[in-house]
Amino acid sequence: MTFTDLKLTNAFFRDNFIGPKSDRPTVTVMRDGFAEVTLQTGRQHSRPGNMVSGPTQMALADTVAYVTIFTKLGITPMAVTSSLNVSFLRPCIGPSMRAEGTLVKLGQTLGVTDVRIFGEGRDAPSAIATVTYALPK
Amino acid sequence: MTFTDLKLTNAFFRDNFIGPKSDRPTVTVMRDGFAEVTLQTGRQHSRPGNMVSGPTQMALADTVAYVTIFTKLGITPMAVTSSLNVSFLRPCIGPSMRAEGTLVKLGQTLGVTDVRIFGEGRDAPSAIATVTYALPK
Amino acid sequence: MTFTDLKLTNAFFRDNFIGPKSDRPTVTVMRDGFAEVTLQTGRQHSRPGNMVSGPTQMALADTVAYVTIFTKLGITPMAVTSSLNVSFLRPCIGPSMRAEGTLVKLGQTLGVTDVRIFGEGRDAPSAIATVTYALPK
Amino acid sequence: MTFTDLKLTNAFFRDNFIGPKSDRPTVTVMRDGFAEVTLQTGRQHSRPGNMVSGPTQMALADTVAYVTIFTKLGITPMAVTSSLNVSFLRPCIGPSMRAEGTLVKLGQTLGVTDVRIFGEGRDAPSAIATVTYALPK
């Protein structure tokens, strides 16, 4: 199957992630094995140096990987992150950012997603990550 | 030098990290090359399954590694995360959590910290991480 | 169960890994969830700077993690490495080296091992690694 | 500068890496920030299951990342691996394999390379890796 319903997916995040609304990303693209997620960044996402913080970038990487799994399995709440490896390459500057995820393997128990994070209007990624999700049976 | 002033370190986080107060960890232990940081977890830190979310755990890992650098160099705002690798091992259950960081290498340009995350009252870590910071010149 | 038979384990490596004998590590310690593996290093394991090469260290990390799985499941040839993250901290100097592995999680599908590598007679690790094995059903 | 001299680069590996000739990869492509390296695999590179072993794949990932640095800085023997993160996705089957590396960041002290490994004639990677080299001053 391929599941690419942006409306349902964004509703899932709205209903299930309880933090401040300003922390909730928007899923903007879903294709077979690919997703894009964006976030409007504010002062609460900054770190000294006026850059988007590492944890904000990691949270977005984690989310986009989750959504790439959804494109194959549908909304799968109990998929859980098994590991995340991120390298920060250059400052991430807002006021918006986006993450692109490409699923590079979907096995029976694990899904592995290659992620790139970009500050607003940038072509060079601020960070690259590999995110592995454990899939429910 | 060894810098272990909890009061000053917590004041630094209070003044520089602007997110909701409930997201701000408390630095509870600083020794030469070691730090412990705790967080009271709430609904906003949860994910489906009533567990503390991966991003919450990664943010705490990032913070405790930053503080292990401080124990050697003093408060160093412009130390920035270069890479973070985390493996999630078992559910992290609140209502509090802690991260322990041990600096395993401090070079001229990089500091590497071994991190363990624990849910409240647990002996077995919910996650282990290796966090590398790039040091300012 | 706990499987700690050094003789059988070393026989397994002797029979199954076909490379030059000088590349074959020796399993020296097996305990419940822990293993130590050593290698006599020679010119063929060196890189410019007269240090033990990164690939030699990674191979030893991979082996010691495999053996920590054996301590719980017995010899399990079809356990395969799922991911390996290594940070190199300081030069690894021979003429011998050792790797210590501690299993930090054994689930139904994955085993995660924390690894430290040491050059001869050193207390500070040359490298730390996290190695995840996928377990056969 | 851009350094893309395959002959000199292969001569460097021939002169500096002392292991068995059958372990020495061949650098087949060098472009600005990109490299491809190949290896003829034999029984000594196998693991149970008749697949190319993880350490063989990691060694090739390490080499191709080194060469991507060379494309920018020329032959730089004292660049050393700082960290390597690899995810194994599917079996790597010989009798040849190749690694492709793309340099995603070259800073003053670190170079980060995105690597993909492929078994003979495959389009889907057997492994993906992120390799960070520390650069000499």
Side-chain angles (χ1 to χ4, degrees):
Chain A
M1 66 169 283
T2 305
F3 173 82
T4 59
D5 189 324
L6 290 173
K7 199 167 172 184
L8 273 180
T9 302
N10 281 304
F12 167 76
F13 283 108
R14 189 177 59 238
D15 294 346
N16 285 279
F17 290 79
I18 293 158
K21 190 180 166 185
S22 59
D23 282 359
R24 199 169 66 226
T26 302
V27 184
T28 46
V29 180
M30 293 176 81
R31 290 196 300 263
D32 184 31
F34 178 86
E36 183 190 78
V37 170
T38 61
L39 181 72
Q40 300 303 311
T41 58
R43 291 177 69 225
Q44 74 276 25
H45 303 115
S46 299
R47 54 149 287 141
N50 200 28
M51 304 178 281
V52 176
S53 73
T56 301
Q57 295 183 66
M58 293 189 283
L60 207 66
D62 189 54
T63 298
V64 81
Y66 200 34
V67 179
T68 65
I69 305 286
F70 292 3
T71 71
K72 291 286 193 182
L73 302 182
I75 292 174
T76 310
M78 290 313 299
V80 295
T81 312
S82 170
S83 67
L84 184 148
N85 303 321
V86 59
S87 294
F88 296 98
L89 305 176
R90 43 186 75 81
C92 181
I93 311 291
S96 77
M97 61 185 295
R98 74 181 196 281
E100 298 178 358
T102 303
L103 192 66
V104 292
K105 185 234 179 132
L106 185 71
Q108 298 229 300
T109 58
L110 296 177
V112 181
T113 302
D114 188 50
V115 176
R116 269 135 181 75
I117 309 275
F118 300 88
E120 180 161 325
R122 301 302 165 104
D123 291 327
S126 61
I128 61 173
T130 303
V131 185
T132 302
Y133 266 79
L135 307 176
K137 289 180 191 168
Chain B
M1 67 167 283
T2 305
F3 173 82
T4 60
D5 189 325
L6 291 173
K7 198 167 173 184
L8 272 180
T9 302
N10 281 304
F12 167 75
F13 284 108
R14 190 177 58 238
D15 294 347
N16 285 278
F17 290 79
I18 293 158
K21 190 180 166 185
S22 59
D23 282 359
R24 199 169 67 226
T26 301
V27 184
T28 46
V29 180
M30 294 176 80
R31 288 196 300 265
D32 183 31
F34 178 85
E36 184 191 77
V37 170
T38 62
L39 182 72
Q40 299 305 310
T41 58
R43 290 177 69 225
Q44 75 276 24
H45 303 114
S46 299
R47 55 149 286 139
N50 199 27
M51 301 179 283
V52 176
S53 74
T56 301
Q57 294 184 66
M58 293 190 283
L60 207 66
D62 190 54
T63 298
V64 80
Y66 199 34
V67 178
T68 65
I69 305 285
F70 292 4
T71 71
K72 290 287 193 183
L73 302 182
I75 292 173
T76 311
M78 290 313 298
V80 295
T81 312
S82 171
S83 67
L84 183 148
N85 303 321
V86 60
S87 295
F88 296 98
L89 305 177
R90 42 186 77 81
C92 182
I93 311 292
S96 77
M97 62 184 294
R98 72 182 198 281
E100 297 179 358
T102 302
L103 192 67
V104 292
K105 187 237 179 124
L106 185 71
Q108 297 229 300
T109 58
L110 294 178
V112 181
T113 303
D114 187 49
V115 175
R116 266 132 183 80
I117 308 275
F118 301 89
E120 179 161 325
R122 302 302 165 103
D123 290 327
S126 61
I128 61 173
T130 303
V131 186
T132 302
Y133 266 78
L135 308 176
K137 289 179 190 167
Chain C
M1 68 167 282
T2 304
F3 173 83
T4 59
D5 189 325
L6 290 173
K7 199 167 172 184
L8 273 180
T9 303
N10 281 304
F12 167 75
F13 284 108
R14 189 178 58 239
D15 293 346
N16 285 279
F17 290 79
I18 295 158
K21 190 180 167 186
S22 60
D23 283 358
R24 199 169 66 227
T26 302
V27 183
T28 45
V29 180
M30 294 176 80
R31 288 196 300 263
D32 184 30
F34 178 86
E36 184 191 77
V37 171
T38 61
L39 181 72
Q40 301 303 312
T41 58
R43 290 177 69 226
Q44 74 276 26
H45 303 115
S46 299
R47 53 150 287 140
N50 199 27
M51 301 178 284
V52 176
S53 74
T56 301
Q57 295 184 66
M58 293 189 284
L60 207 66
D62 191 53
T63 298
V64 81
Y66 200 34
V67 179
T68 65
I69 304 284
F70 292 3
T71 71
K72 292 285 193 182
L73 302 182
I75 291 173
T76 310
M78 290 314 296
V80 294
T81 312
S82 171
S83 67
L84 184 149
N85 303 321
V86 60
S87 294
F88 296 98
L89 305 176
R90 43 187 75 80
C92 182
I93 310 292
S96 78
M97 61 184 295
R98 74 182 196 279
E100 298 178 357
T102 303
L103 192 66
V104 292
K105 187 232 178 130
L106 185 71
Q108 297 231 300
T109 57
L110 295 178
V112 181
T113 302
D114 187 50
V115 176
R116 268 135 182 75
I117 308 275
F118 300 90
E120 179 161 325
R122 301 302 164 104
D123 291 325
S126 61
I128 61 174
T130 303
V131 185
T132 301
Y133 266 79
L135 308 176
K137 289 179 191 168
Chain D
M1 68 168 281
T2 304
F3 173 83
T4 59
D5 189 324
L6 290 172
K7 198 168 173 184
L8 272 180
T9 302
N10 280 304
F12 167 75
F13 284 108
R14 190 177 58 239
D15 294 346
N16 284 279
F17 290 79
I18 294 158
K21 190 180 168 187
S22 59
D23 282 358
R24 199 169 67 224
T26 303
V27 184
T28 46
V29 180
M30 294 176 79
R31 290 195 301 264
D32 184 31
F34 177 86
E36 184 191 75
V37 170
T38 62
L39 181 73
Q40 300 304 311
T41 58
R43 289 177 70 226
Q44 74 277 25
H45 303 115
S46 299
R47 54 149 288 140
N50 201 26
M51 303 178 282
V52 176
S53 73
T56 302
Q57 295 183 65
M58 293 190 283
L60 207 66
D62 191 54
T63 298
V64 80
Y66 199 35
V67 178
T68 65
I69 304 284
F70 292 3
T71 71
K72 291 286 192 181
L73 302 182
I75 291 173
T76 311
M78 290 313 298
V80 294
T81 312
S82 170
S83 67
L84 184 147
N85 303 320
V86 61
S87 294
F88 296 98
L89 305 176
R90 42 187 76 80
C92 182
I93 311 293
S96 77
M97 60 183 297
R98 72 182 198 281
E100 297 178 358
T102 304
L103 193 67
V104 292
K105 186 233 178 132
L106 185 71
Q108 297 228 302
T109 57
L110 296 177
V112 181
T113 302
D114 188 49
V115 175
R116 267 136 183 74
I117 309 276
F118 300 88
E120 179 160 325
R122 303 301 165 103
D123 291 326
S126 62
I128 61 173
T130 303
V131 186
T132 301
Y133 266 78
L135 308 176
K137 289 178 192 172

